[in-house]
Amino acid sequence: MTWNAATYLAFGTERTRPAAELLARVPLAAPAAIADLGCGPGNSTALLRERYPEADLVGVDSAPDMIAAARGSGVRARWQLADVATWTPEAPVDLIFANATLHWLDDHPRLFSRLLERLTSGGVLAVQMPRNFQAPSHVLLREVARQGPWAAQLTPRLRADPVASPDAYYRWLRPHAARLDVWQTEYLQVLSGADPVLAWVRGTSLVPLLAALDAPARAAFEAAYAARLRTAYPAEPGGETLFPFQRVFIVLEKGA
């Protein structure tokens, strides 16, 4: 089990919308150099290329399947297989764009400080991160992981609350910013099909857990988790399933 572009893009519209809304708040008119960190299959990179057709644009991701999909997307960009946690550009860039990426990394005060060092003066750091870790989808995921015969393999991989509150990011980042905008949005995802919340999480939060299990254990774990999700997210009379999902956004313009 690894990152899979097709699984991720099963909800491509829903996953791309926050990237578009983040990009709409970026104040730069014509950045010369842009890095899309955690570019995935290139859906966010496509938005950046459309807005900034002349920029030197690089998409960075640590998953080979994602980079392969990005290279096949037709988006005009350079693609780099690299760990975002240690990524360093050849020279400072004008825009670092990170859509649904940085929540996978720890020690955010230090991480954000390091990313700011990779910006030009007046450059922009634009970040979107899921903040749904206390929702039933993620609480149940941790409960099922800790309660079954797979607990020894999965418990060390659990991350209960990797994204801080919006005010915490504001306090960490304000001393480094000429301008700073932090906000949080809750999307009401309207999903369809069988076990749609499981299908959503299968493309993201489930990936590192399923990677730790063999095929029979994966099937048993998913079945136990799916049963809990059906109770937490029952289908509406029309057949759709409502999945509220919070995300936090940060747009920082670096001071001189």
Side-chain angles (χ1 to χ4, degrees), residues 65-156:
D65 189 76
M66 291 295 196
I67 287 293
R71 285 181 174 139
S73 68
V75 176
R76 183 169 50 88
R78 295 184 292 115
W79 306 106
Q80 184 178 0
L81 182 65
D83 185 351
V84 170
T86 57
W87 167 83
T88 301
E90 295 177 0
V93 298
D94 302 306
L95 172 60
I96 293 175
F97 193 85
N99 179 64
T101 300
L102 300 187
H103 62 294
W104 291 107
L105 305 177
D106 295 321
D107 194 357
H108 281 190
R110 182 177 181 181
L111 171 65
F112 277 74
S113 178
R114 189 180 67 78
L115 291 175
L116 291 175
E117 293 173 356
R118 282 135 179 83
L119 283 175
T120 57
S121 177
V124 169
L125 175 65
V127 174
Q128 181 274 122
M129 296 177 288
R131 193 165 183 257
N132 220 45
F133 302 96
Q134 300 308 315
S137 55
H138 291 66
V139 171
L140 292 173
L141 178 62
R142 295 192 295 271
E143 288 182 0
V144 174
R146 291 189 179 109
Q147 292 170 359
W150 40 71
Q153 295 106 301
L154 300 188
T155 298

Side-chain angles (χ1 to χ4, degrees), residues 2 18 23 26 29 36 38 50 54 60 103 109 120 135 161 170 178 209 221 233:
T2 59
L23 181 57
V26 171
D36 184 12
E50 181 179 7
E54 303 304 319
V60 181
H103 62 294
T120 57
D161 211 0
Y170 185 90
L209 302 185
F221 174 72
Y233 299 97

Side-chain angles (χ1 to χ4, degrees), residues 5 14 19 28 34 49 61 97 107 110 131 136 205 209 222:
E14 293 87 348
L28 298 174
I34 302 172
R49 175 53 74 202
D61 205 284
F97 193 85
D107 194 357
R110 182 177 181 181
R131 193 165 183 257
S205 298
L209 302 185
E222 279 202 341

